[in-house]
């Protein structure tokens, strides 16, 4: 077989590659192959010095990574960095050990396996070493279904066909490869062709020498080999694969006989199937990673067809590209559990799932159930449970769930017909260990046990009462449950009562309910009702009297406490209302004082002008000062001074003559702002408009600044900056674009720093029509791939934080939280590529010191915003107080109340109703005084006539 054909060529190529690698390794220590060999001594010393420094740095980094892995073995990225450095340094022994450790914890990707296999193939020369490579290939093909690894495996096995049974071994590997990935629409063809090439090479060796007549044995071998190749062609043409037409044409050219009708029929059927698959394959080719939607559509399509092999393959293809998506693993495992039910296949998929996503408790629970379903040994299941406890879950409740699943498994192993057994003792020991584990390990890490209602202890008590007939133990457990803060809940007492009712006695039921009446604080009426019902059915008269007295006393105390709480709440509400009224009155007084001060300033200015006029007349000077009317109407020119006779305000209290030069730019700009007519907002253009806010009030020429900033988004039609009456910029504006797409692109500039402040950009929405509309670009729910970091120093920059975080995974985004002025608040959100990296970062970074600040790191899960409760009907509320009604001309700028404040604070006068009864007295009601009823002229006349 080695004398000709492709197998010999492949074997020679492998041997030549190994020799070249060996020669390269020999040459590398003698000198740097890229240094040229002709450099002077000084250049050699410099390069060697740099090389030594780099080597020392790499050694230090390797040591650091090894120490980090000794602390946290599940740090995926740390494993990758260590393997990369060791391969770069040529530390083959350490490299092999590092790869081995990583493969024990995680399934390796196709790239990692191919690098490892190629390194081992180069070093494998002895038969024993080749066997180790075979073992490595066997491990590699179990992690993921990868056509490239299977093809490499098959081609490597061709190099051993000279050994005993070598040809059969190659065929066996090819057949396994076809079973695994032969249905792959885009990559399966290469494997079929490689298999046919191998069989063609065997056919060449079976051909008789030219001019000789083959013996009957040779003729039989030749016919058998031809039939093998025919069979491969027919099998391939019955599967929908890309380039099927070329394979069919190749078969027609190769075969000396006509293609059978059955093969043609299967080929046409496969072509039709290929046409149905092509849209999904094209969608996968054109989509960007992770392609989850495209793969899910493909899976749904194959599910309708119902071919288990094809469904399994498309799931495996999706998982090879999305190995860190727990939901995809869960759906795949569910399909295997319910449909295929093949032990080796099911358990292998579950094992790969928990190795890829060890932080997902649901995958571990499904794995334990699958192992129990397929009757795996108890020691193996227990060992897998211990691995789950060390997987590093990110929530305390996850540990409660995994313990509950394991306890359920142990309970199903017990034969409760026996009084005692090894399995029962193991179950009780596991219950006790679970309670202790949650109390110490979990509570120490998460500051909570994850099981506040003690569900595990409740289940333990039920097992003891119902299955073991041990009510004494059950009562001890419930007593322990109540001492953990659960005695105030009625449902906990009723759970215990129902257990006693079913498996205990009436005396203990009565004791439980009496304690419940005394301790319950959430629903005491319900517990009292249950106690009275018990005594009504089973109690004596003395029991009934005791129950009635106890419940009445308890409910009386409860009602008294509720009344006090209501009074306290009302007092607090009243205090808040009084404080709000005081604040409102203080603002009104402050506003009135400002207006009075302005009035005094105006009077003083007028007095100064009068003094100037008198002084000028005495000295002989005359000023052309036309008399100004007290009221000036728009459009009238009588009260407008000519420009050359106007005076320029030079100070707060006086005026000066107009300077010779032009007016000050700021005042001119301010005057021009006042003269600009108001432009009302056109709501029909909201779709092409964005609202920009939080800009600096001191921004000069905001229109020009923002036009330059938003010009990259598209055509800017108009920028409407908002100014106050004095011409000062108010910090927000409207930017109108020519197209909707430009407005959508402008939203991406939200939080861009402009003059040291974050600029807010949001859609232009009428809040009157959409009062509930809010714009917040960030998620407010649990994000397992994102971290929330607090306690950062204010001087920490985004780059410095990224340097700290990237050691634990690939950082996609970092957001430093700032206030409206752009100043940092010591908070940040860090987004990683997946949940695994985020969970590892929490373990490593929580409690880390950054610039003498200890930071706190947790998974991002913002608390729900509290919606302010609406005031109850009848309770005074400032928010619901009616607005003051002004005249038709509105509230004047100088409209001041002339009534003394002492009179304004007087209580409301007592009103009399028609029947003489007093209404709305302060002692009888806390409601605000009702607005006086408007009276007509007839009402006034009646009132005067009565007097």
């Amino acid at each position: 077989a080695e004398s000709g054909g492709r197998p010999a060529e492949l074997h020679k190529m492998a041997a030549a590659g190994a020799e070249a690698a060996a020669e390269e390794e020999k040459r590398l220590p003698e000198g740097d192959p890229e240094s040229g060999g002709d450099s002077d001594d000084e250049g050699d010393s410099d390069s060697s010095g740099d090389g030594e420094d780099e080597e020392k740095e790499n050694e230090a980094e390797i040591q650091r990574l090894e120490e980090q892995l000794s602390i946290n073995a599940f740090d995926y990225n740390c494993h990758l960095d260590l393997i990369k450095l060791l391969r770069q340094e040529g530390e083959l022994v350490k490299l092999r050990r590092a790869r081995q450790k990583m493969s024990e914890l995680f399934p390796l990707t196709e790239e990692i396996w191919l690098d490892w296999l190629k390194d081992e193939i180069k070093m494998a020369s002895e038969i024993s070493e080749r066997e180790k490579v075979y073992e490595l290939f066997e491990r590699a093909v179990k992690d993921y279904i990868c056509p490239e690894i299977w093809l490499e495996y098959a081609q490597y096995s061709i190099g051993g066909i000279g050994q005993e049974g070598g040809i059969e071994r190659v065929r066996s590997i090819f057949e396994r490869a076809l079973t695994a990935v032969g249905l792959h629409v885009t990559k399966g063809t290469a494997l079929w062709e490689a298999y046919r090439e191998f069989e063609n090479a065997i056919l060449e060796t079976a051909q008789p020498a030219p001019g000789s007549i083959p013996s009957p044995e040779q003729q039989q071998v030749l016919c058998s080999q031809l039939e093998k190749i025919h069979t491969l062609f027919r099998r391939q043409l019955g599967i929908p694969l890309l380039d099927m037409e070329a394979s069919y044409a190749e078969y027609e050219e190769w075969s000396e006989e006509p293609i059978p009708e059955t093969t043609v029929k299967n080929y046409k059927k496969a072509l039709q199937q290929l046409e149905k698959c092509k849209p999904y394959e094209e969608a996968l080719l054109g989509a960007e990673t992770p392609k989850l939607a495209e793969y899910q559509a493909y899976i749904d399509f194959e599910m309708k067809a119902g071919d288990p092999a094809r469904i399994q393959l498309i799931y495996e293809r999706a998982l090879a590209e999305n190995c860190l998506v727990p939901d995809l693993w869960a759906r795949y495992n569910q399909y295997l559990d319910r449909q295929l039910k093949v032990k080796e296949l099911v358990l292998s998929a579950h094992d790969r799932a928990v190795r890829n996503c060890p932080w997902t408790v649901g995958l571990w629970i499904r794995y334990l159930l699958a192992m129990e379903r397929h009757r795996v040994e108890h020691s193996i299941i227990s060992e897998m449970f211990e691995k789950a406890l060390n997987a590093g879950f990110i929530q305390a409740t996850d540990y409660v769930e995994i313990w509950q699943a394991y306890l359920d498994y142990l309970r199903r192993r017990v034969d409760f017909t026996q009084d005692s057994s090894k399995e029962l003792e193991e179950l009780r020991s596991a219950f006790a260990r679970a309670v202790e584990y949650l109390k110490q390990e979990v509570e120490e890490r998460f500051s909570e046990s994850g099981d506040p209602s003690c569900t595990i202890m409740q289940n333990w008590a039920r097992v003891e009462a119902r299955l073991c007939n041990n009510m004494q133990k059950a009562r001890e457990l419930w007593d322990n449950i109540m001492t953990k803060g659960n005695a105030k809940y009625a449902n906990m007492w009723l759970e215990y009562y129902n257990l006693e009712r079913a498996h205990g006695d009436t005396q203990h039921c009565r004791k439980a309910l009496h304690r419940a009446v005394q301790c319950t604080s959430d629903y005491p009426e319900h517990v009292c009702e249950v106690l009275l019902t018990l005594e009504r059915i089973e109690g004596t008269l003395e029991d009934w009297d005791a129950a009635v007295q106890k419940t009445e006393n308890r409910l009386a105390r409860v009602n008294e406490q509720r009344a006090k709480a209501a009074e306290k709440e009302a007092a607090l509400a009243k205090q808040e209302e009084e404080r709000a009224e005081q604040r409102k009155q203080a603002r009104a007084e402050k506003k009135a004082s400002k207006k009075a001060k302005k009035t005094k300033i105006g009077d003083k200015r007028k007095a100064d002008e009068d003094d100037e006029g008198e002084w000028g007349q005495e000295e002989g000077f005359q000023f052309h000062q036309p008399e100004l009317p007290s009221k000036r109407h728009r459009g009238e020119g009588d009260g407008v001074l000519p420009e050359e006779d106007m005076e320029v305000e030079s100070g707060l209290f006086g005026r000066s003559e107009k300077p010779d030069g032009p007016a000050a730019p700021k005042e001119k700009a301010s005057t021009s702002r006042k003269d600009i007519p108001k432009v009302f907002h056109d709501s029909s253009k909201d779709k092409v408009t964005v609202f920009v806010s939080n800009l600096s009030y001191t921004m000069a020429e905001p229109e020009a600044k923002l036009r330059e900033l938003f010009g990259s988004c598209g055509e800017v039609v108009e920028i409407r900056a908002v100014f106050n009456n004095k011409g000062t910029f108010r910090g927000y504006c409207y930017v109108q674009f020519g197209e909707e797409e430009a407005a959508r692109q402008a939203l991406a500039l939200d939080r861009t720093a402009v003059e040291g402040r974050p600029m807010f950009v949001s859609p232009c929405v009428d809040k009157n029509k959409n009062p509930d509309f809010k714009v917040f670009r960030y998620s407010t729910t649990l994000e397992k791939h994102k971290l929330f970091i607090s306690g950062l120093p204010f001087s920490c920059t985004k780059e410095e934080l990224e340097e700290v975080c990237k050691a634990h995974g690939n950082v996609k985004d970092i957001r430093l939280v700032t206030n409206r002025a752009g100043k940092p608040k010591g908070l940040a959100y860090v987004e990683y590529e997946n949940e695994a990296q985020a969970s590892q970062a929490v373990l490593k970074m929580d409690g880390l010191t950054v610039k003498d600040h200890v930071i706190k790191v947790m998974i991002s899960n913002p608390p729900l915003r509290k919606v302010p409760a609406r005031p109850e009907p009848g309770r005074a509320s400032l928010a619901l107080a009616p607005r003051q009604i002004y005249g038709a001309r509105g509230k004047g700028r100088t409209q001041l109340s002339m009534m003394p404040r002492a009179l304004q604070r007087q209580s409301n006068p007592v009103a009399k109703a028609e029947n003489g009864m007093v209404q709305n007295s302060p002692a009888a009601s806390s409601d605000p005084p009702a607005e006086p009823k408007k009276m007509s002229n007839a009402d006034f006349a009646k009132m005067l006539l009565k007097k």
Side-chain angles (χ1 to χ4, degrees):
E2 295 183 2
S3 60
R6 182 174 176 80
E9 294 175 1
L10 290 172
H11 189 65
K12 291 178 182 178
M13 289 173 62
E19 286 184 14
E23 290 295 328
E24 184 177 356
E25 289 179 1
K26 291 178 183 179
R27 290 196 303 268
L28 284 176
E30 298 176 359
D32 187 355
E34 295 183 3
S35 62
D38 296 332
S39 60
D40 55 6
D41 295 340
E42 184 178 355
D44 291 340
S45 62
D46 292 342
S47 61
S48 62
D50 296 339
E52 289 177 359
D53 293 341
E54 184 179 356
E55 185 176 352
K56 289 180 180 179
E57 290 178 1
N58 289 342
E59 289 178 357
E61 182 66 13
I62 289 172
Q63 185 176 359
R64 185 190 70 81
L65 292 172
E66 289 176 344
E67 292 176 356
Q68 188 170 343
L69 287 175
S70 65
I71 299 173
N72 181 17
F74 287 91
D75 194 333
Y76 189 87
N77 291 305
C78 190
H79 281 284
L80 291 180
D81 295 339
L82 179 60
I83 290 172
K84 182 179 178 181
L85 271 178
L86 291 174
R87 195 178 188 208
Q88 180 180 339
E89 291 296 312
E91 297 283 350
L92 301 180
V93 177
K94 289 185 177 181
L95 176 61
R96 184 179 292 168
R97 191 185 305 123
R99 283 168 167 166
Q100 180 68 26
K101 287 182 179 179
M102 185 177 183
S103 66
E104 292 173 357
L105 297 173
F106 304 100
L108 304 185
T109 62
E110 178 184 330
E111 293 77 14
I112 298 175
W113 271 120
L114 289 176
D115 288 341
W116 190 358
L117 291 167
K118 289 175 182 178
D119 290 343
E120 295 293 341
I121 288 172
K122 290 178 182 179
M123 296 183 291
S125 57
E126 302 293 334
I127 296 177
S128 60
E129 294 175 346
R130 288 184 61 86
E131 289 300 324
K132 291 181 180 179
V133 176
Y134 282 123
E135 294 175 3
L136 201 60
F137 268 114
E138 288 295 331
R139 291 172 54 191
V141 295
K142 290 178 182 177
D143 276 355
Y144 299 105
I145 293 183
C146 298
E148 289 80 1
I149 294 179
W150 274 110
L151 186 59
E152 189 74 22
Y153 188 13
Q155 290 180 346
Y156 177 73
S157 66
I158 293 175
I161 60 176
Q163 302 173 10
E164 184 179 355
I167 294 179
E168 293 304 320
R169 186 174 195 172
V170 174
R171 284 176 177 158
S172 173
I173 293 172
F174 267 118
E175 288 295 335
R176 290 171 56 202
L178 292 180
T179 303
V181 294
L183 298 178
H184 199 297
V185 176
T186 58
K187 298 181 179 180
T189 304
L191 202 58
W192 286 98
E193 291 178 351
Y195 195 1
R196 287 205 318 272
E197 285 185 22
F198 168 72
E199 294 295 350
N200 276 319
I202 300 298
L203 179 64
E204 291 295 328
T205 61
Q207 294 287 352
S212 62
I213 298 175
S215 62
E217 292 80 7
Q218 290 178 336
Q219 189 67 32
Q220 185 178 358
V221 171
L222 190 62
C223 292
S224 175
Q225 189 62 27
L226 285 172
E227 184 60 28
K228 283 184 174 65
I229 300 175
H230 276 290
T231 303
L232 282 175
F233 268 118
R234 293 166 187 168
R235 288 169 60 191
Q236 180 184 355
L237 293 175
I239 300 172
L241 301 171
L242 290 183
D243 297 331
M244 289 187 64
E245 297 84 354
S247 300
Y248 186 81
E250 182 182 352
Y251 187 29
E252 283 184 321
E253 182 180 354
W254 180 86
S255 178
E256 298 176 355
E257 301 174 359
I259 300 178
E261 285 296 326
T262 306
T263 304
V264 175
K265 184 178 179 181
N266 293 335
Y267 167 70
K268 291 181 179 179
K269 186 177 179 180
L271 274 178
Q272 294 176 356
Q273 181 69 16
L274 179 63
E275 290 301 319
K276 295 179 182 178
C277 294
K278 272 186 177 180
Y280 299 99
E281 294 290 345
E282 291 172 355
L284 287 174
L285 289 174
E288 297 181 357
T289 305
K291 310 179 183 179
L292 283 173
E294 291 76 14
Y295 272 119
Q296 188 58 51
Y298 206 165
I299 290 171
D300 294 339
F301 165 73
E302 294 292 356
M303 283 286 192
K304 293 179 182 177
D307 187 347
R310 298 192 63 83
I311 294 172
Q312 180 194 357
L313 179 63
I314 192 60
Y315 262 121
E316 291 286 352
R317 287 177 60 184
L319 289 167
E321 296 190 36
N322 300 278
C323 59
L324 298 178
V325 180
D327 292 341
L328 187 58
W329 280 109
R331 291 195 295 270
Y332 181 41
N333 291 336
Q334 183 179 6
Y335 170 76
L336 296 178
D337 288 334
R338 296 180 179 179
Q339 302 297 328
L340 295 186
K341 302 180 181 179
V342 180
K343 179 179 178 180
E344 291 75 12
L345 184 61
V346 169
L347 295 182
S348 172
H350 280 288
D351 182 68
R352 289 184 291 139
V354 297
R355 289 170 64 199
N356 272 291
C357 307
W359 65 89
T360 307
V361 68
L363 297 179
W364 287 99
I365 294 174
R366 290 186 179 91
Y367 193 10
L368 294 177
L369 291 172
M371 295 175 78
E372 182 185 2
R373 196 175 293 120
H374 292 282
R375 303 185 185 281
V376 177
E377 294 181 7
H378 172 62
S379 59
I380 299 178
I381 296 178
S382 299
E383 182 181 351
M384 193 57 59
F385 168 71
E386 296 297 334
K387 287 184 179 179
L389 288 181
N390 296 322
F393 299 132
I394 59 179
Q395 293 181 359
T397 54
D398 293 345
Y399 288 94
V400 179
E401 292 180 24
I402 193 65
W403 267 111
Q404 192 60 64
Y406 183 60
L407 292 169
D408 293 344
Y409 157 70
L410 293 179
R411 195 266 308 163
R412 289 189 286 266
R413 295 181 68 241
V414 179
D415 182 8
F416 289 101
T417 58
Q418 302 178 8
D419 293 337
S420 63
S421 63
K422 179 182 177 182
E423 290 78 8
L424 179 57
E425 294 304 319
E426 185 178 2
L427 175 61
R428 285 172 171 162
S429 175
F431 268 118
R433 183 189 167 201
V435 173
E436 191 67 21
Y437 186 91
L438 294 177
K439 180 180 179 182
Q440 293 184 355
E441 301 289 336
V442 177
E443 193 166 352
E444 181 181 350
R445 178 180 170 190
F446 295 97
S447 300
E448 59 168 329
S449 66
D451 191 16
S453 58
C454 302
T455 55
I456 288 181
M457 293 184 69
Q458 288 188 44
N459 292 332
W460 188 3
R462 294 186 186 104
V463 169
E464 293 289 353
R466 297 176 184 176
L467 302 178
C468 301
N469 298 320
N470 189 354
M471 274 304 299
Q472 183 61 32
K473 181 65 176 178
R475 292 183 185 115
E476 292 177 4
L477 291 170
W478 270 104
D479 186 66
N480 196 1
I481 291 172
M482 292 305 181
T483 59
K484 294 183 179 297
N486 294 303
K488 58 185 177 181
Y489 300 117
N491 66 316
M492 300 296 289
W493 284 108
L494 295 178
E495 281 286 339
Y496 176 40
Y497 167 74
N498 291 330
L499 192 67
E500 283 285 359
R501 193 76 174 154
H503 307 285
D505 52 53
T506 304
Q507 186 63 27
H508 283 91
C509 288
R510 184 174 289 112
K511 279 182 65 176
L513 290 177
H514 275 273
R515 289 179 61 193
V517 169
Q518 189 68 27
C519 301
T520 301
S521 60
D522 55 350
Y523 298 104
E525 294 89 352
H526 187 35
V527 176
C528 292
E529 182 182 354
V530 174
L531 175 58
L532 293 175
T533 302
L534 173 67
E535 301 300 356
R536 179 176 286 112
I537 296 173
E538 300 184 17
T540 63
L541 179 60
E542 290 77 9
D543 295 332
W544 172 260
D545 289 340
V548 170
Q549 183 179 358
K550 195 172 189 71
T551 54
E552 286 179 351
N553 293 338
R554 175 59 178 162
L555 292 179
R557 289 197 303 270
V558 168
N559 292 331
E560 183 180 353
Q561 292 172 358
R562 288 175 178 172
K564 289 181 179 180
E567 290 177 3
K568 185 176 180 180
E569 184 180 356
L572 292 175
K574 187 175 181 180
Q575 291 177 4
E576 182 62 28
E577 292 170 6
E578 291 176 354
R579 285 195 292 266
E581 186 64 29
Q582 290 174 2
R583 289 194 295 268
K584 184 177 180 181
Q585 189 171 350
R587 287 196 296 268
E589 291 176 0
K590 186 176 180 180
K591 191 172 183 181
S593 65
K594 286 184 178 179
K595 290 183 177 179
K597 189 174 182 180
K598 289 182 179 179
T599 305
K600 292 179 181 179
I601 294 173
D603 294 342
K604 186 169 183 178
R605 285 176 177 170
K606 186 175 180 181
D608 292 343
E609 290 172 1
D610 294 340
D611 292 342
E612 287 179 2
E614 294 174 1
W615 178 82
Q617 289 174 2
E618 290 177 1
E619 296 294 331
F621 292 99
Q622 294 183 359
F623 289 88
H624 179 69
Q625 182 77 17
E627 183 180 357
L628 297 179
S630 60
K631 181 178 178 182
R632 199 185 309 173
H633 296 280
R634 186 177 298 178
E636 294 179 1
D638 298 337
V640 179
L641 289 174
E643 184 177 355
E644 61 272 11
D645 293 332
M646 290 182 67
E647 295 178 345
V648 180
E649 184 177 339
S650 60
L652 188 60
F653 299 104
R655 293 176 180 268
S656 61
E657 294 183 3
K658 178 184 175 182
D660 297 336
K666 183 180 292 188
E667 296 179 6
K668 193 170 184 179
S670 177
T671 305
S672 64
R673 295 292 183 193
K674 295 179 185 178
D675 297 339
I676 294 178
K678 291 185 177 180
V679 179
F680 293 96
H681 179 68
D682 187 359
S683 59
S684 63
K685 298 179 180 179
D686 284 351
K687 293 185 178 180
V688 294
T689 306
V690 296
F691 178 68
V692 183
S693 59
N694 202 43
L695 298 171
S696 175
Y697 290 173
T698 60
M699 179 181 289
E701 299 297 332
E703 294 94 339
K705 180 77 175 179
L706 295 178
R707 187 175 295 275
E708 178 184 355
L709 190 62
F710 287 98
S712 59
C713 302
E715 180 190 358
V716 179
V717 176
E718 182 184 10
I719 296 179
R720 298 190 297 278
V722 180
F723 298 86
N724 62 13
N725 294 330
K726 296 181 180 180
T728 304
F729 181 47
R730 297 185 62 183
Y732 63 91
C733 63
Y734 297 87
V735 181
Q736 180 182 336
F737 294 91
E739 299 178 353
E740 291 185 25
E741 181 62 28
R744 283 193 291 269
Q745 292 182 10
L747 296 176
L749 296 178
D750 185 35
R751 314 244 171 201
T752 302
V754 178
E755 295 188 1
R757 295 172 63 90
M759 174 182 67
F760 298 160
V761 184
S762 58
C764 188
V765 177
D766 188 353
K767 291 291 185 69
N768 294 326
K769 297 180 181 178
N770 301 277
D772 297 330
F773 178 81
K774 290 185 180 297
V775 178
F776 191 69
R777 59 185 294 188
Y778 305 108
S779 174
T780 57
T781 58
L782 174 65
E783 294 178 282
K784 295 184 178 181
H785 66 289
K786 186 181 291 186
L787 304 183
F788 172 69
I789 303 178
S790 60
L792 289 168
F794 292 161
S795 61
C796 182
T797 64
K798 184 176 181 180
E799 292 74 18
E800 292 173 344
L801 183 58
E802 183 178 7
E803 191 66 25
V804 175
C805 297
K806 72 179 183 181
H808 310 290
N810 296 328
V811 178
K812 292 181 64 178
D813 183 44
I814 291 180
R815 176 167 64 93
L816 294 177
V817 182
T818 63
N819 58 16
R820 296 181 68 89
K823 296 181 180 180
K825 300 174 67 175
L827 309 175
Y829 289 90
V830 180
E831 182 179 357
Y832 283 93
E833 281 191 348
N834 51 62
E835 300 175 17
Q837 297 177 1
S839 61
Q840 296 303 322
V842 170
L843 295 175
K844 300 297 296 181
M845 294 174 57
D846 189 27
L848 190 68
T849 301
V850 177
K851 293 185 178 179
D852 298 331
H853 285 67
V854 178
I855 64 174
K856 188 173 183 180
V857 184
M858 62 188 71
I859 297 295
S860 176
N861 189 15
L864 296 176
R865 292 179 176 268
K866 294 184 180 180
V867 180
R870 294 184 178 180
E872 298 177 2
R875 179 173 293 180
S877 174
L878 292 176
L880 299 179
R883 292 185 178 180
Q884 185 176 354
I885 300 175
Y886 303 110
R889 291 158 57 186
K891 178 181 178 181
R893 292 186 179 181
T894 59
Q895 181 177 346
L896 299 176
S897 176
M898 304 306 294
M899 184 182 294
R901 287 194 295 273
L903 296 179
Q904 291 179 6
R905 295 196 185 97
Q906 287 183 356
S907 303
N908 298 323
V910 178
K912 285 187 178 182
E914 293 180 0
N915 57 4
M917 298 297 293
V918 178
Q919 295 180 348
N920 295 335
S921 64
S925 173
S926 61
D927 293 343
E931 184 179 351
K933 182 179 178 182
K934 294 182 179 180
M935 303 179 68
S936 62
N937 292 334
D939 294 331
F940 278 108
K942 291 179 181 179
M943 183 177 65
L944 293 174
L945 289 174
K946 286 181 180 180
K947 291 184 178 181

